[in-house]
């Protein structure tokens, strides 16, 4: 009698696990096929180097508590970044390769130059 109970339980458990594994494999294959059909490209192309995250100090900008504003970014130098100050004023900064004494990179304010800030 005990043998019949254990044999029946084992068969039901193994059958259920097999069905569960089959359903998971089918869902994984379906999702993979749908992504390939949509033409989803990877975030980083093959052979492309990953840019490190740099911390930029926004020159001339202060946070509400008076400390300098730091902006982490993986964007290359030359990109313009927009920052909204504590008073709601929008300012633009250009990311540079200049390293400051504290080890951060400089982001120069370009909204102070009227001929360069017009987007």
């Amino acid at each position: 009698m005990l043998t019949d109970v254990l044999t029946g339980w084992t068969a039901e458990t193994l059958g259920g696990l097999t069905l569960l594994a089959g359903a998971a494999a089918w869902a994984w294959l379906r999702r993979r096929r749908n992504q390939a059909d949509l033409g989803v490209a990877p975030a980083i192309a093959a052979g492309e180097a990953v840019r490190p995250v740099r911390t930029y100090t926004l020159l001339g900008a202060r946070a509400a508590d008076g400390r300098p504003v730091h902006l982490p970014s993986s964007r290359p130098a030359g990109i313009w970044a927009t920052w909204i100050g504590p008073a709601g004023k929008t300012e633009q900064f250009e990311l540079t390769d200049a390293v400051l004494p504290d080890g951060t990179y400089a982001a120069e304010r370009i909204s102070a130059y009227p001929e360069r800030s017009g987007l």
Side-chain angles (χ1 to χ4, degrees), residues 24 26-36:
W26 177 79
W28 179 78
L29 287 172
R30 183 173 178 222
R31 184 173 9 132
R32 185 176 168 131
R33 186 185 68 221
N34 288 344
Q35 286 178 350

Side-chain angles (χ1 to χ4, degrees), residues 34-101:
N34 288 344
Q35 286 178 350
D37 290 345
L38 294 175
V40 176
I44 298 173
E48 182 180 338
V50 177
R51 285 190 294 242
V53 175
R54 293 179 170 181
T55 301
Y56 292 92
T57 299
L58 305 182
L59 299 178
R62 297 285 177 190
D65 60 358
R67 292 187 292 174
V69 177
H70 297 289
L71 173 72
S73 178
S74 63
R75 303 263 180 157
I79 299 292
W80 291 6
T82 303
W83 177 70
I84 300 174
K89 182 181 176 188
T90 302
E91 297 186 68
Q92 294 177 336
F93 293 85
E94 183 176 359
L95 307 181
T96 67
D97 282 330
V99 180
L100 299 174

